[in-house]
Amino acid sequence: MKKLKFSLIIFGSLLLVFIIVTMFNTLTLESRQPSPENFNGSIKEDHAIDTLSKAIQFKTISYQDRSKMDLIEFDRFISFLEQSFPLVHEELELEKVNSHALVYKWKGTDSTKLPIGLTSHYDVVPVLEGTEENWEHDPFSGTIADGKIWGRGTLDDKIGVIGILEAAEHLLKEGYQPARDIYLMFGHDEEIGGDEGAAMIVSTLNARGIKFDFVLDEGGAIVENMVPGVNQPVGVVGVSEKGSATAELSIEGSGGHSSQPKDRTNIGRIASAIAKLEETQFPADLKGPGEDLFEFVAPEMSFAMKYVFANKFIFEPVIEKSCSSSLHHLR
Ligand SMILES: [Zn+2]
């Protein structure tokens, strides 16, 4: 009886220490959100909205089969940019690489500094045949409704092209000149690999020995309800990119006849190979940029989730498990 009482006291004290330590970690987790300065500029919102809406209406669609691409539409889009951003086209040097990939050079005051690059692309993926009816607004209408602009490219990635040019046009109007050269680079075939666009831009600039201090591409978005326990929108900054691999499985075997079915068919054999492949996933590990993301969002989480992330040393396996199932698509 005495022994049991003693064990209970030990257990109770350990539990108390555990609670104190984990609660302390949770309650002392400080917000790491920056406090942005107020923007006092005078970007013309109507112009920006109208231009993006119009940009969506060009059917600059990339197809795996390049012969299906309507390059006249791509030319029309380029003329549209010229009309919409007159100062950019007057003061920046525009080079068309491979006819449709665009490189704008904005001369800086200090040529000894390495330039920076801002990139984006203006091609979009096609609308899957038979799904046209599922769109609340036509994907190439650029409809403005319910406080949103609708259509292909609003997120990926005409928003990038128009956003960058809108900012440049605005700064030029104010007489701004950057300290270092800025290259604005817009591909036209990103959705099918970028071989004719981004890759050609890279080899063209490479051949001239141009090196960048940094290049900022699309990646990430402002997401809602994607990070567990966070109700506010989260600006997900993409600093790395997943790769991909394609596997082709083939099998050799003898045919058969339905009158004498075998236990194991060729289709069954290849199906189990596919199932095995699917079961062999990369091990989850919370480190690098993924870990950084949670360091910054954890203090903004609901109490329960904050408790889990503030005590990663205990809960890491749980976090990894839930991340690999729910955050697969978070690039
Ligand atoms: Zn994209």
Side-chain angles (χ1 to χ4, degrees), residues 255-267:
H257 192 275
S258 58
S259 63
Q260 292 167 316
K262 287 192 240 160
D263 290 355
R264 198 128 170 80
T265 62
N266 294 331
I267 290 174

Side-chain angles (χ1 to χ4, degrees), residues 121 155-157 190-191 218 331:
H121 63 91
L155 269 176
D156 185 11
D157 194 25
E190 193 266 0
E191 299 293 359
E218 68 171 311
R331 283 194 294 170

Side-chain angles (χ1 to χ4, degrees), residues 5-316:
K5 206 173 164 193
F6 183 68
S7 313
L8 272 177
I9 289 173
I10 297 267
F11 177 73
S13 325
L14 283 175
L15 188 66
L16 195 66
V17 170
F18 176 81
I19 292 172
I20 290 172
V21 169
T22 53
M23 285 307 263
F24 178 82
N25 287 344
T26 311
L27 295 171
T28 52
L29 203 63
E30 271 177 32
S31 176
R32 300 183 63 174
Q33 298 304 304
S35 26
E37 282 172 36
N38 278 337
F39 173 69
N40 290 321
S42 54
I43 279 267
K44 278 200 202 139
E45 204 177 306
D46 291 346
H47 181 265
I49 293 170
D50 182 58
T51 313
L52 179 57
S53 160
K54 283 191 181 124
I56 301 304
Q57 295 167 34
F58 292 88
K59 294 190 170 172
T60 49
I61 305 170
S62 270
Y63 291 96
Q64 289 299 340
D65 173 2
R66 285 180 183 267
S67 68
K68 283 166 103 185
M69 285 166 76
D70 180 3
L71 292 176
I72 293 169
E73 197 69 0
F74 286 68
D75 287 326
R76 284 186 55 227
F77 183 79
I78 296 171
S79 319
F80 164 74
L81 293 182
E82 283 164 15
Q83 287 155 22
S84 305
F85 303 103
L87 287 179
V88 168
H89 288 83
E90 213 175 283
E91 296 189 29
L92 272 57
E93 235 172 77
L94 169 61
E95 179 179 4
K96 292 175 191 164
V97 176
N98 231 353
S99 308
H100 294 100
L102 309 175
V103 179
Y104 294 86
K105 184 180 173 186
W106 192 350
K107 195 105 198 64
T109 48
D110 186 352
S111 56
T112 62
K113 285 194 165 108
L114 283 180
I116 60 166
L118 306 176
T119 81
S120 184
H121 63 91
Y122 67 94
D123 60 318
V124 296
V125 291
V127 171
L128 212 62
E129 238 173 272
T131 63
E132 294 86 349
E133 296 298 304
N134 300 348
W135 286 76
E136 271 177 59
H137 297 281
D138 184 283
F140 293 97
S141 63
T143 302
I144 301 167
D146 317 318
K148 295 185 174 73
I149 304 172
W150 292 73
R152 277 276 190 261
T154 46
L155 269 176
D156 185 11
D157 194 25
K158 282 177 178 165
I159 177 73
V161 177
I162 302 301
I164 290 167
L165 289 175
E166 199 74 51
E169 184 81 7
H170 176 79
L171 288 168
L172 286 168
K173 214 172 281 168
E174 290 188 339
Y176 175 83
Q177 193 183 5
R180 56 182 83 219
D181 292 351
I182 299 178
Y183 285 79
L184 316 179
M185 299 169 280
F186 307 134
H188 67 292
D189 63 345
E190 193 266 0
E191 299 293 359
I192 47 172
D195 290 351
E196 304 279 322
M200 293 306 289
I201 293 176
V202 170
S203 58
T204 304
L205 297 182
N206 229 348
R208 291 180 201 154
I210 293 166
K211 299 255 180 293
F212 287 94
D213 191 52
F214 71 84
V215 174
L216 195 62
D217 194 5
E218 68 171 311
I222 294 179
V223 298
E224 283 177 71
N225 304 321
M226 204 185 234
V227 184
V230 183
N231 294 323
Q232 301 101 305
V234 178
V236 188
V237 184
V239 292
S240 58
E241 176 76 290
K242 288 193 294 255
S244 67
T246 306
E248 195 179 313
L249 304 182
S250 62
I251 195 163
E252 272 176 42
S254 52
H257 192 275
S258 58
S259 63
Q260 292 167 316
K262 287 192 240 160
D263 290 355
R264 198 128 170 80
T265 62
N266 294 331
I267 290 174
R269 283 167 65 205
I270 205 145
S272 60
I274 293 168
K276 264 186 203 156
L277 247 179
E278 205 173 48
E279 278 159 24
T280 319
Q281 296 286 343
F282 282 107
D285 196 357
L286 195 61
K287 62 180 180 189
E291 188 180 19
D292 290 344
L293 166 73
F294 285 107
E295 299 241 314
F296 279 82
V297 294
E300 317 305 322
M301 290 176 168
S302 60
F303 187 82
M305 291 303 289
K306 199 155 67 165
Y307 180 80
V308 171
F309 279 95
N311 296 288
K312 247 184 355 205
F313 70 103
I314 307 166
F315 296 115
E316 191 152 353

